[in-house]
Amino acid sequence: MDMELFEELERIKIRFVAAYDKLVEQGVISERDYQEILEIIDDLDSYSLDELKERLGRFRYVVPFQDSSPGEE
């Protein structure tokens, strides 16, 4: 893997971790799920696209809680 591709993959991993970290903070996913996701992300380049869809697919429609103030929609 060339260096540019490696660096892009690392940036993507950081974005994934940050997104799932927020979901844990909001109570949308469990700490156990989060740890599983981190393991997958850590080895992201060793999975095929189909394997990733299968392993992460159950989190696809997770909707984070929205902070809303009265009068906001």
Side-chain angles (χ1 to χ4, degrees):
M1 179 182 309
D2 72 24
M3 189 56 114
E4 190 174 312
L5 185 58
F6 174 79
E7 290 172 354
E8 182 64 24
L9 181 58
E10 291 304 306
R11 284 191 288 273
I12 291 169
K13 288 179 180 182
I14 291 168
R15 289 183 193 142
F16 269 119
V17 170
Y20 284 112
D21 195 37
K22 286 181 183 179
L23 294 177
V24 172
E25 288 174 10
Q26 295 173 347
V28 176
I29 62 173
S30 70
E31 183 67 32
R32 181 178 177 192
D33 287 339
Y34 179 67
Q35 291 303 320
E36 180 183 345
I37 291 165
L38 289 181
E39 289 176 20
I40 293 168
I41 291 171
D42 195 37
D43 294 325
L44 194 61
D45 54 335
S46 66
Y47 292 97
S48 71
L49 186 55
D50 288 336
E51 289 172 316
L52 286 173
K53 285 179 182 178
E54 181 181 327
R55 303 270 321 258
L56 296 175
R58 65 188 168 121
F59 302 107
R60 184 174 183 180
Y61 297 107
V62 171
V63 178
F65 296 118
Q66 299 271 329
D67 290 333
S68 60
S69 301
E72 289 185 9
E73 293 186 40

